[in-house]
Amino acid sequence: LSMCSKLCYAIGGAPNQVAGSAASFFLQIYLLDIAHITPFHASLVLFIGKASGAVTDPVAGFFISKSRWTKIGRLMPWVLACTPFTIVSYFFMWYLPPFVSGRVAWYLTFHCLFQALTTLFQVPYSALTMFLSTDQKDRDSATAYRMTMEVLGTLIGAALQGQIVASAHVSPHCTVNPSLNTTDSWHDTPSSPDPSDSLSHQVIYMIAAGVIAAVYLLGIIVLFLGVKERDDPYALNSDRAIPFCKGLALTMKHGPYVKLTASFLLISAAVQLEQGNFVLFCTHAAGLRNHFQYLVVTILVSAAVSVPFWQKFLQRFGKKCAACGISWMIPFAVMLVTIPNLILAYFVAFISGLSIAASLLLPWSMLPDVVDNFRLQNPHGKGHETIFYSSYVFFTKMSAGIGLGISAAGLEFTGYKPGICRQSDDVILTLKLLIGAVPAILILLGLFILLFYPITEESRKETKLALEELR
C-alpha cells in the first residue's frame, strides 16, 4: 500500500473530525450562551442527537452490507452521497433562527440530521480499512496515518472554531472588576442578552461553520481521487455474505469484540465528557475564560504529535500495553480540579492530549484484529466487516450521548444560568466532577475490562499465518 494512498485515506477522515470537534467542544456552550435555551433542553438536543447517530449505525450497516459492487467500490458511493447533505445540516446547526419558541426543535432537527449523516459517512469510511489491503502491517500503518490526520482534524476544528468564536464568550463586565461581583445577587441576576450582541455572535458562528464546511468538501475530494477500494482478492466465489441480523448476533457472541467494545465504550464516554465540558469548566469553574481556546489547542497539538509515538509504542510493546497511556490524564485532571492554576492547566492539557491520542488510536487499531479473528472462525463468510464497524460506532455513540445528556441535565439540576459571570457553587462543583471524578472512574473501569481482552501479539501472528494458509 503506497504512502500516497495511506495519506489520501487519512485526509478523507479529517473533515468529519473537524466538524465533530467543533461540535464537541462548542455546541453545548453555544446552545446555552448564544441560543439561550435551558440546560435541560440542551441536554435533550445533545442526547437525542447522539442517539439518532447511534441508531443510524446498524441501519447504515444493514443497507451497506446489501450494497452491490460498483465501478468505484461498494463503500465509496455511500461516502460521496451523504457529504453534501452533511455539509448543509452542519451549517444550519449553528444558525440562530429568528423565532424563539421553536429553537429547541430547530437545533434538535439539525443536530439529529448531522449525527445521522456523519454516521452514514463514518461506517463505510472506517470499514474501508479492511478493503485497502489484506496485510496486517499495511492496515495498522493506514490506521496510524488515519488517526494522525483525524487528530489533526480535531485540532483544526477546535482551533478554527475557538479562534473565530472566542470573542462571543468573553464578557468585558466579567473581567473589568470581578471583586465587585461577590454577592449572592450576582449569581441570581443573569445579564439580559443584547440583541445586537446576539446578532454579531451569530455572524461569528456562521463564519466558522462556513470555513469548516469548505474543509469538509476538500477532504472528501482528496479521498475520492486518491483511494481505490479493493475487494478481498482471496475470497472464494463460493463464499456467501453473512445476513446482517445473523452477523450482528454472531458479533455480539464474539468474545474479543464484546470485551473491546465494552472497554472503549466507557473510555470514549469519558473523553466525550472531557471535551463537552472543558470549555464550560475553564469559563466558569477554573477562572480561565480568556485561555480556553489556547488550552484546547494545546490538548489537540499534543494529541496530534503523539499519535506516531503511540504507533511505535504499540508495535514494540503491544496494543494492550499501550492502553496504560490512557490513564495518564487522570491524576493531572484531578490536580487541575483541586488546584486551578494557569501553568498547571497547560501541563494538564499537554498530558490529556497524550492520553486522548492513545484512546483514539487503539480501538481502531485493535478492531481489524478482531475482524481477522472472526474471519478465521468463519472462513467461508464475508461482508461482516461493515457489521463490526457499524455496531462498534453505535455503542460508542450511545455511551457518549448518554454521558453528555446526563452532564447537561446535571447542570440544569444544579441551577446553571446563561449570561452571568459566576455560576453558583453547586454548578462549579458539578463541572469539577464532570472533568475530574466521573471520567477517572469510567477510564479505570474501561481499562479493567481491557485486561481480559484475549488477543495478544502472539495470537495476532498466529491468526495472520492461519489466514495466509486459508488463502
Side-chain angles (χ1 to χ4, degrees), residues 284-295:
H284 297 298
L288 301 169
R289 69 170 61 239
N290 293 324
H291 296 272
F292 70 80
Q293 67 269 36
Y294 306 113
L295 290 168

Side-chain angles (χ1 to χ4, degrees), residues 246-297:
K246 180 183 177 182
L248 190 60
L250 289 173
T251 59
M252 293 300 102
K253 295 176 184 176
H254 192 59
Y257 177 71
V258 171
K259 293 179 176 66
L260 179 70
T261 303
S263 172
F264 281 98
L265 181 147
L266 296 169
I267 291 169
S268 64
V271 173
Q272 282 289 328
L273 279 175
E274 291 274 358
Q275 285 186 335
N277 293 284
F278 187 76
V279 175
L280 282 170
F281 172 79
C282 291
T283 303
H284 297 298
L288 301 169
R289 69 170 61 239
N290 293 324
H291 296 272
F292 70 80
Q293 67 269 36
Y294 306 113
L295 290 168
V296 168
V297 169

